[in-house]
Amino acid sequence: AWLPVAWGALTVIPVYLLGSHLRGRAMGLGAACLYALLPIAIEYSRVGNADHHAAAGLLGAILLLLYSEFLGPDARGARLVWIAAGLALTRAALLGTWHGSLLYVALGEVAIVLYGVARNRSDVLMAETASVLVSAGLAALLVAATPTPIAGPWSATELSHLHLLAFTLAAVVSTLCVALQRFHPLLSPGWRVARA
């Protein structure tokens, strides 16, 4: 009964961190207060609400924070590896909590690939490849453990083979972008993005 309350309360932490990283502590506090006072956030995190929305909100906020960290200038070396590992686990947890989150995850993956290509960051692209492959492996365990979705094995609204295909495609595109830049380098970020 108290888990939604805990998840709702914990969500203000990644919301604060995201706001403070983007625009400073005042923005972080403002974002956390705004989230905490949203009627929908209050409703989803009330005592006894047995739905998944409070957990999905927490995982979505963590995912958004990690995506923004992945795209930051400090994401290099060991820090990049830790961010990628956190993304892999958070993606899988979000898919296990809310199967319809594939659309939001896909937008984040596209942003990472385009950033890596535009900035000519093969380290970001290879970290993305490893991260989504780990997420695909974890999601595959979930897909194997659940019955075939009502909408079929390629359902977009239930955990299915479509989720595994999306992660695999993100890994393939990231890896191909690195290979193309290595063997046929383009100097212009615009041309690299167009090629991707």
Side-chain angles (χ1 to χ4, degrees):
W2 286 95
L3 275 177
V5 177
W7 289 327
L10 287 172
T11 303
V12 299
I13 297 170
V15 170
Y16 165 78
L17 291 172
L18 181 60
S20 65
H21 288 167
L22 293 175
R23 302 293 276 179
R25 288 183 182 167
M27 179 65 73
L29 283 172
C33 288
L34 182 63
Y35 178 82
L37 296 174
L38 282 174
I40 195 73
I42 294 167
E43 178 64 24
Y44 285 155
S45 61
R46 66 181 161 78
V47 175
N49 186 341
D51 210 339
H52 66 285
H53 293 298
L58 172 60
L59 291 169
I62 293 170
L63 192 71
L64 189 57
L65 174 64
L66 289 171
Y67 280 140
S68 71
E69 290 293 317
F70 213 119
L71 302 176
D74 298 335
R76 298 191 181 276
R79 180 172 170 76
L80 182 63
V81 171
W82 282 108
I83 294 168
L87 268 174
L89 297 174
T90 306
R91 270 190 221 102
L94 184 58
L95 284 177
T97 303
W98 177 42
H99 305 161
S101 62
L102 181 61
L103 175 63
Y104 303 107
V105 170
L107 291 172
E109 306 319 313
V110 168
I112 289 173
V113 170
L114 291 178
Y115 169 81
V117 168
R119 297 287 185 159
N120 201 19
R121 296 271 314 266
S122 60
D123 59 336
V124 165
L125 293 170
M126 293 312 297
E128 166 70 355
T129 296
S131 182
V132 294
L133 288 177
V134 170
S135 292
L138 294 170
L141 295 174
L142 293 171
V143 168
T146 57
T148 301
I150 294 170
W154 296 95
S155 172
T157 57
E158 300 171 83
L159 191 59
S160 71
H161 296 292
L162 182 63
H163 295 71
L164 305 180
L165 178 63
F167 286 148
T168 304
L169 286 175
V172 168
V173 169
S174 292
T175 305
L176 282 176
C177 288
V178 170
L180 284 170
Q181 187 60 14
R182 173 174 279 176
F183 296 112
H184 297 288
L186 295 174
L187 296 178
S188 165
W191 283 113
R192 287 195 303 265
V193 167
R195 178 169 68 182

Short mmCIF file of all heavy atoms in Angstrom, two decimals, residues 2-20 27-38 40-42 44-46 52-66 90 94 97:
data_model
loop_
_atom_site.label_atom_id
_atom_site.label_comp_id
_atom_site.label_asym_id
_atom_site.label_seq_id
_atom_site.Cartn_x
_atom_site.Cartn_y
_atom_site.Cartn_z
N TRP A 2 2.05 1.19 0.62
CA TRP A 2 2.89 2.38 0.74
C TRP A 2 3.91 2.52 -0.40
O TRP A 2 4.57 3.55 -0.50
CB TRP A 2 3.61 2.36 2.09
CG TRP A 2 2.68 2.69 3.20
CD1 TRP A 2 2.00 1.81 3.99
CD2 TRP A 2 2.30 4.00 3.64
NE1 TRP A 2 1.22 2.49 4.89
CE2 TRP A 2 1.39 3.83 4.70
CE3 TRP A 2 2.64 5.28 3.24
CZ2 TRP A 2 0.81 4.91 5.35
CZ3 TRP A 2 2.07 6.36 3.89
CH2 TRP A 2 1.16 6.16 4.94
N LEU A 3 4.05 1.51 -1.25
CA LEU A 3 5.02 1.61 -2.34
C LEU A 3 4.76 2.79 -3.27
O LEU A 3 5.70 3.50 -3.62
CB LEU A 3 5.07 0.31 -3.13
CG LEU A 3 5.97 -0.78 -2.58
CD1 LEU A 3 5.86 -2.04 -3.41
CD2 LEU A 3 7.41 -0.31 -2.50
N PRO A 4 3.52 3.05 -3.68
CA PRO A 4 3.30 4.22 -4.55
C PRO A 4 3.73 5.52 -3.89
O PRO A 4 4.25 6.42 -4.57
CB PRO A 4 1.80 4.20 -4.82
CG PRO A 4 1.38 2.80 -4.58
CD PRO A 4 2.29 2.27 -3.51
N VAL A 5 3.54 5.63 -2.59
CA VAL A 5 3.95 6.84 -1.87
C VAL A 5 5.47 6.98 -1.93
O VAL A 5 6.00 8.07 -2.22
CB VAL A 5 3.47 6.78 -0.40
CG1 VAL A 5 3.97 8.00 0.37
CG2 VAL A 5 1.95 6.68 -0.35
N ALA A 6 6.17 5.87 -1.70
CA ALA A 6 7.64 5.90 -1.74
C ALA A 6 8.13 6.25 -3.14
O ALA A 6 9.04 7.09 -3.31
CB ALA A 6 8.20 4.56 -1.29
N TRP A 7 7.54 5.61 -4.16
CA TRP A 7 7.96 5.90 -5.53
C TRP A 7 7.69 7.35 -5.91
O TRP A 7 8.52 8.00 -6.53
CB TRP A 7 7.26 4.97 -6.52
CG TRP A 7 7.72 3.56 -6.45
CD1 TRP A 7 8.97 3.11 -6.16
CD2 TRP A 7 6.94 2.39 -6.67
NE1 TRP A 7 9.01 1.74 -6.19
CE2 TRP A 7 7.78 1.28 -6.51
CE3 TRP A 7 5.61 2.18 -7.00
CZ2 TRP A 7 7.33 -0.02 -6.66
CZ3 TRP A 7 5.16 0.89 -7.16
CH2 TRP A 7 6.02 -0.20 -6.98
N GLY A 8 6.53 7.86 -5.52
CA GLY A 8 6.20 9.25 -5.80
C GLY A 8 7.16 10.21 -5.11
O GLY A 8 7.61 11.20 -5.70
N ALA A 9 7.48 9.92 -3.85
CA ALA A 9 8.41 10.78 -3.11
C ALA A 9 9.82 10.72 -3.70
O ALA A 9 10.50 11.74 -3.82
CB ALA A 9 8.43 10.37 -1.64
N LEU A 10 10.24 9.53 -4.10
CA LEU A 10 11.58 9.38 -4.68
C LEU A 10 11.71 10.06 -6.04
O LEU A 10 12.81 10.46 -6.43
CB LEU A 10 11.94 7.90 -4.80
CG LEU A 10 12.26 7.18 -3.50
CD1 LEU A 10 12.41 5.69 -3.73
CD2 LEU A 10 13.52 7.76 -2.85
N THR A 11 10.61 10.21 -6.74
CA THR A 11 10.66 10.81 -8.08
C THR A 11 11.14 12.25 -8.05
O THR A 11 11.75 12.71 -9.01
CB THR A 11 9.27 10.71 -8.74
OG1 THR A 11 8.88 9.34 -8.78
CG2 THR A 11 9.30 11.24 -10.17
N VAL A 12 10.92 12.96 -6.95
CA VAL A 12 11.37 14.35 -6.91
C VAL A 12 12.89 14.44 -6.97
O VAL A 12 13.42 15.47 -7.38
CB VAL A 12 10.83 15.11 -5.66
CG1 VAL A 12 9.31 15.15 -5.67
CG2 VAL A 12 11.36 14.53 -4.38
N ILE A 13 13.61 13.38 -6.60
CA ILE A 13 15.09 13.44 -6.63
C ILE A 13 15.61 13.53 -8.06
O ILE A 13 16.36 14.46 -8.38
CB ILE A 13 15.69 12.25 -5.85
CG1 ILE A 13 15.30 12.34 -4.38
CG2 ILE A 13 17.22 12.21 -6.02
CD1 ILE A 13 15.64 11.11 -3.56
N PRO A 14 15.26 12.59 -8.97
CA PRO A 14 15.76 12.76 -10.34
C PRO A 14 15.21 14.00 -11.03
O PRO A 14 15.90 14.60 -11.86
CB PRO A 14 15.34 11.48 -11.06
CG PRO A 14 14.29 10.86 -10.23
CD PRO A 14 14.55 11.32 -8.83
N VAL A 15 13.99 14.42 -10.68
CA VAL A 15 13.44 15.65 -11.26
C VAL A 15 14.28 16.84 -10.80
O VAL A 15 14.64 17.71 -11.60
CB VAL A 15 11.95 15.82 -10.89
CG1 VAL A 15 11.44 17.20 -11.29
CG2 VAL A 15 11.11 14.74 -11.55
N TYR A 16 14.62 16.88 -9.51
CA TYR A 16 15.48 17.95 -8.99
C TYR A 16 16.84 17.94 -9.69
O TYR A 16 17.34 18.98 -10.13
CB TYR A 16 15.68 17.82 -7.48
CG TYR A 16 16.82 18.67 -6.98
CD1 TYR A 16 16.66 20.04 -6.81
CD2 TYR A 16 18.07 18.10 -6.73
CE1 TYR A 16 17.72 20.83 -6.39
CE2 TYR A 16 19.13 18.88 -6.32
CZ TYR A 16 18.96 20.24 -6.15
OH TYR A 16 20.01 21.02 -5.75
N LEU A 17 17.45 16.74 -9.77
CA LEU A 17 18.78 16.65 -10.39
C LEU A 17 18.77 17.09 -11.85
O LEU A 17 19.67 17.78 -12.30
CB LEU A 17 19.31 15.21 -10.27
CG LEU A 17 19.66 14.76 -8.86
CD1 LEU A 17 19.99 13.28 -8.83
CD2 LEU A 17 20.82 15.58 -8.30
N LEU A 18 17.74 16.70 -12.57
CA LEU A 18 17.63 17.09 -13.97
C LEU A 18 17.52 18.61 -14.09
O LEU A 18 18.25 19.24 -14.87
CB LEU A 18 16.43 16.42 -14.63
CG LEU A 18 16.20 16.70 -16.10
CD1 LEU A 18 17.39 16.27 -16.94
CD2 LEU A 18 14.94 16.01 -16.57
N GLY A 19 16.63 19.21 -13.33
CA GLY A 19 16.48 20.66 -13.37
C GLY A 19 17.73 21.39 -12.95
O GLY A 19 18.13 22.39 -13.57
N SER A 20 18.40 20.89 -11.90
CA SER A 20 19.60 21.58 -11.42
C SER A 20 20.76 21.42 -12.38
O SER A 20 21.57 22.35 -12.53
CB SER A 20 19.99 21.08 -10.02
OG SER A 20 20.35 19.73 -10.06
N MET A 27 16.25 26.08 -10.35
CA MET A 27 15.41 25.40 -11.33
C MET A 27 15.12 23.97 -10.88
O MET A 27 13.99 23.48 -11.04
CB MET A 27 16.10 25.37 -12.70
CG MET A 27 15.30 24.65 -13.76
SD MET A 27 13.74 25.46 -14.17
CE MET A 27 14.34 26.85 -15.09
N GLY A 28 16.10 23.31 -10.28
CA GLY A 28 15.89 21.96 -9.77
C GLY A 28 14.83 21.93 -8.68
O GLY A 28 13.93 21.07 -8.69
N LEU A 29 14.91 22.88 -7.74
CA LEU A 29 13.90 22.96 -6.68
C LEU A 29 12.52 23.28 -7.24
O LEU A 29 11.52 22.70 -6.83
CB LEU A 29 14.30 24.00 -5.64
CG LEU A 29 15.39 23.59 -4.66
CD1 LEU A 29 15.82 24.77 -3.80
CD2 LEU A 29 14.93 22.43 -3.80
N GLY A 30 12.49 24.19 -8.19
CA GLY A 30 11.22 24.54 -8.81
C GLY A 30 10.60 23.35 -9.54
O GLY A 30 9.40 23.08 -9.43
N ALA A 31 11.42 22.61 -10.27
CA ALA A 31 10.93 21.43 -11.00
C ALA A 31 10.43 20.36 -10.03
O ALA A 31 9.37 19.76 -10.24
CB ALA A 31 12.03 20.87 -11.89
N ALA A 32 11.18 20.14 -8.94
CA ALA A 32 10.77 19.13 -7.96
C ALA A 32 9.46 19.53 -7.28
O ALA A 32 8.58 18.70 -7.08
CB ALA A 32 11.88 18.94 -6.92
N CYS A 33 9.33 20.81 -6.93
CA CYS A 33 8.09 21.29 -6.30
C CYS A 33 6.92 21.19 -7.27
O CYS A 33 5.82 20.77 -6.88
CB CYS A 33 8.25 22.72 -5.82
SG CYS A 33 9.31 22.88 -4.38
N LEU A 34 7.15 21.57 -8.50
CA LEU A 34 6.09 21.49 -9.51
C LEU A 34 5.63 20.04 -9.67
O LEU A 34 4.43 19.76 -9.68
CB LEU A 34 6.59 22.05 -10.84
CG LEU A 34 5.58 22.08 -11.98
CD1 LEU A 34 4.42 23.00 -11.64
CD2 LEU A 34 6.26 22.54 -13.26
N TYR A 35 6.59 19.11 -9.76
CA TYR A 35 6.21 17.70 -9.91
C TYR A 35 5.43 17.23 -8.67
O TYR A 35 4.42 16.56 -8.80
CB TYR A 35 7.44 16.81 -10.12
CG TYR A 35 7.05 15.37 -10.22
CD1 TYR A 35 6.59 14.85 -11.42
CD2 TYR A 35 7.07 14.52 -9.10
CE1 TYR A 35 6.17 13.53 -11.51
CE2 TYR A 35 6.64 13.21 -9.19
CZ TYR A 35 6.20 12.72 -10.40
OH TYR A 35 5.77 11.43 -10.48
N ALA A 36 5.93 17.57 -7.49
CA ALA A 36 5.29 17.11 -6.25
C ALA A 36 3.88 17.64 -6.10
O ALA A 36 3.04 17.00 -5.45
CB ALA A 36 6.14 17.53 -5.05
N LEU A 37 3.57 18.79 -6.69
CA LEU A 37 2.25 19.39 -6.57
C LEU A 37 1.31 19.08 -7.73
O LEU A 37 0.15 19.49 -7.69
CB LEU A 37 2.39 20.91 -6.40
CG LEU A 37 3.12 21.35 -5.13
CD1 LEU A 37 3.35 22.85 -5.14
CD2 LEU A 37 2.37 20.91 -3.89
N LEU A 38 1.79 18.37 -8.73
CA LEU A 38 0.92 18.01 -9.86
C LEU A 38 -0.19 17.09 -9.37
O LEU A 38 0.08 16.07 -8.72
CB LEU A 38 1.71 17.30 -10.94
CG LEU A 38 2.56 18.14 -11.87
CD1 LEU A 38 3.39 17.26 -12.78
CD2 LEU A 38 1.70 19.08 -12.68
N ILE A 40 -1.92 14.88 -10.86
CA ILE A 40 -1.80 13.50 -11.34
C ILE A 40 -0.71 12.75 -10.58
O ILE A 40 -0.85 11.56 -10.28
CB ILE A 40 -1.56 13.47 -12.88
CG1 ILE A 40 -1.80 12.06 -13.43
CG2 ILE A 40 -0.18 13.94 -13.24
CD1 ILE A 40 -3.23 11.66 -13.47
N ALA A 41 0.38 13.43 -10.23
CA ALA A 41 1.44 12.80 -9.45
C ALA A 41 0.94 12.45 -8.06
O ALA A 41 1.26 11.39 -7.51
CB ALA A 41 2.67 13.71 -9.38
N ILE A 42 0.15 13.33 -7.48
CA ILE A 42 -0.43 13.07 -6.16
C ILE A 42 -1.38 11.89 -6.23
O ILE A 42 -1.36 11.00 -5.38
CB ILE A 42 -1.14 14.34 -5.63
CG1 ILE A 42 -0.11 15.44 -5.37
CG2 ILE A 42 -1.94 14.03 -4.38
CD1 ILE A 42 -0.72 16.81 -5.13
N TYR A 44 -1.50 9.39 -8.42
CA TYR A 44 -0.82 8.11 -8.68
C TYR A 44 0.00 7.62 -7.49
O TYR A 44 0.27 6.43 -7.38
CB TYR A 44 0.09 8.23 -9.90
CG TYR A 44 -0.64 8.25 -11.21
CD1 TYR A 44 -0.06 8.84 -12.33
CD2 TYR A 44 -1.91 7.69 -11.36
CE1 TYR A 44 -0.73 8.86 -13.55
CE2 TYR A 44 -2.58 7.71 -12.57
CZ TYR A 44 -1.98 8.29 -13.66
OH TYR A 44 -2.63 8.31 -14.86
N SER A 45 0.44 8.52 -6.63
CA SER A 45 1.29 8.11 -5.52
C SER A 45 0.57 8.09 -4.17
O SER A 45 1.19 8.09 -3.13
CB SER A 45 2.52 9.03 -5.43
OG SER A 45 2.14 10.36 -5.21
N ARG A 46 -0.74 8.04 -4.20
CA ARG A 46 -1.48 7.99 -2.92
C ARG A 46 -1.42 6.59 -2.33
O ARG A 46 -1.20 5.60 -3.03
CB ARG A 46 -2.92 8.45 -3.12
CG ARG A 46 -3.77 7.58 -3.97
CD ARG A 46 -5.19 8.16 -4.11
NE ARG A 46 -5.86 7.60 -5.25
CZ ARG A 46 -6.41 6.39 -5.28
NH1 ARG A 46 -6.35 5.62 -4.23
NH2 ARG A 46 -7.00 5.94 -6.38
N HIS A 52 0.62 0.89 -11.63
CA HIS A 52 2.05 0.99 -11.90
C HIS A 52 2.52 2.41 -12.17
O HIS A 52 3.70 2.64 -12.36
CB HIS A 52 2.39 0.14 -13.12
CG HIS A 52 1.76 0.66 -14.38
ND1 HIS A 52 0.42 0.50 -14.66
CD2 HIS A 52 2.27 1.37 -15.42
CE1 HIS A 52 0.14 1.07 -15.81
NE2 HIS A 52 1.24 1.61 -16.29
N HIS A 53 1.64 3.38 -12.18
CA HIS A 53 1.98 4.72 -12.65
C HIS A 53 3.03 5.43 -11.80
O HIS A 53 3.87 6.14 -12.35
CB HIS A 53 0.73 5.58 -12.77
CG HIS A 53 -0.20 5.11 -13.84
ND1 HIS A 53 0.15 5.07 -15.16
CD2 HIS A 53 -1.47 4.64 -13.78
CE1 HIS A 53 -0.85 4.61 -15.88
NE2 HIS A 53 -1.85 4.34 -15.06
N ALA A 54 3.01 5.25 -10.50
CA ALA A 54 4.02 5.91 -9.66
C ALA A 54 5.40 5.34 -9.95
O ALA A 54 6.38 6.09 -10.05
CB ALA A 54 3.67 5.76 -8.19
N ALA A 55 5.49 4.03 -10.13
CA ALA A 55 6.77 3.40 -10.46
C ALA A 55 7.23 3.84 -11.84
O ALA A 55 8.42 4.13 -12.05
CB ALA A 55 6.65 1.88 -10.40
N ALA A 56 6.30 3.92 -12.80
CA ALA A 56 6.66 4.36 -14.15
C ALA A 56 7.13 5.81 -14.14
O ALA A 56 8.06 6.16 -14.88
CB ALA A 56 5.47 4.19 -15.09
N GLY A 57 6.52 6.64 -13.31
CA GLY A 57 6.96 8.03 -13.19
C GLY A 57 8.38 8.13 -12.66
O GLY A 57 9.20 8.91 -13.18
N LEU A 58 8.68 7.33 -11.64
CA LEU A 58 10.03 7.33 -11.07
C LEU A 58 11.04 6.85 -12.10
O LEU A 58 12.07 7.49 -12.33
CB LEU A 58 10.08 6.44 -9.83
CG LEU A 58 11.47 6.19 -9.23
CD1 LEU A 58 12.13 7.49 -8.80
CD2 LEU A 58 11.37 5.23 -8.06
N LEU A 59 10.76 5.73 -12.75
CA LEU A 59 11.70 5.18 -13.73
C LEU A 59 11.83 6.10 -14.94
O LEU A 59 12.93 6.27 -15.48
CB LEU A 59 11.25 3.78 -14.16
CG LEU A 59 11.36 2.72 -13.07
CD1 LEU A 59 10.65 1.44 -13.49
CD2 LEU A 59 12.82 2.44 -12.75
N GLY A 60 10.73 6.73 -15.35
CA GLY A 60 10.79 7.68 -16.47
C GLY A 60 11.65 8.89 -16.13
O GLY A 60 12.42 9.37 -16.97
N ALA A 61 11.55 9.37 -14.90
CA ALA A 61 12.37 10.52 -14.48
C ALA A 61 13.85 10.14 -14.43
O ALA A 61 14.72 10.91 -14.85
CB ALA A 61 11.90 11.03 -13.12
N ILE A 62 14.13 8.94 -13.92
CA ILE A 62 15.52 8.47 -13.90
C ILE A 62 16.05 8.31 -15.31
O ILE A 62 17.18 8.71 -15.63
CB ILE A 62 15.63 7.15 -13.12
CG1 ILE A 62 15.33 7.38 -11.64
CG2 ILE A 62 17.02 6.52 -13.29
CD1 ILE A 62 15.17 6.11 -10.82
N LEU A 63 15.23 7.75 -16.19
CA LEU A 63 15.63 7.56 -17.59
C LEU A 63 15.94 8.90 -18.25
O LEU A 63 16.96 9.06 -18.92
CB LEU A 63 14.52 6.83 -18.35
CG LEU A 63 14.88 6.31 -19.72
CD1 LEU A 63 15.84 5.12 -19.61
CD2 LEU A 63 13.63 5.86 -20.44
N LEU A 64 15.06 9.88 -18.05
CA LEU A 64 15.29 11.21 -18.63
C LEU A 64 16.56 11.84 -18.08
O LEU A 64 17.35 12.44 -18.82
CB LEU A 64 14.08 12.10 -18.36
CG LEU A 64 14.05 13.44 -19.07
CD1 LEU A 64 14.15 13.28 -20.58
CD2 LEU A 64 12.78 14.20 -18.69
N LEU A 65 16.80 11.69 -16.79
CA LEU A 65 18.03 12.20 -16.19
C LEU A 65 19.26 11.53 -16.81
O LEU A 65 20.23 12.19 -17.17
CB LEU A 65 18.01 11.97 -14.67
CG LEU A 65 19.30 12.33 -13.92
CD1 LEU A 65 19.60 13.82 -14.03
CD2 LEU A 65 19.19 11.90 -12.47
N LEU A 66 19.20 10.20 -16.97
CA LEU A 66 20.34 9.49 -17.55
C LEU A 66 20.55 9.85 -19.01
O LEU A 66 21.70 9.97 -19.46
CB LEU A 66 20.15 7.98 -17.38
CG LEU A 66 20.28 7.47 -15.94
CD1 LEU A 66 19.86 6.01 -15.85
CD2 LEU A 66 21.70 7.67 -15.43
N THR A 90 17.67 0.76 -16.25
CA THR A 90 16.44 1.56 -16.14
C THR A 90 15.49 1.30 -17.30
O THR A 90 14.28 1.20 -17.10
CB THR A 90 16.79 3.06 -16.05
OG1 THR A 90 17.72 3.27 -14.98
CG2 THR A 90 15.55 3.89 -15.80
N LEU A 94 11.80 -0.11 -16.75
CA LEU A 94 10.64 0.64 -17.23
C LEU A 94 9.79 -0.23 -18.15
O LEU A 94 8.56 -0.23 -18.05
CB LEU A 94 11.08 1.91 -17.95
CG LEU A 94 9.96 2.84 -18.42
CD1 LEU A 94 9.09 3.30 -17.25
CD2 LEU A 94 10.54 4.05 -19.14
N THR A 97 7.80 -2.54 -16.14
CA THR A 97 6.78 -1.86 -15.35
C THR A 97 5.64 -1.35 -16.22
O THR A 97 4.48 -1.44 -15.85
CB THR A 97 7.41 -0.67 -14.59
OG1 THR A 97 8.47 -1.16 -13.78
CG2 THR A 97 6.40 0.03 -13.72
#
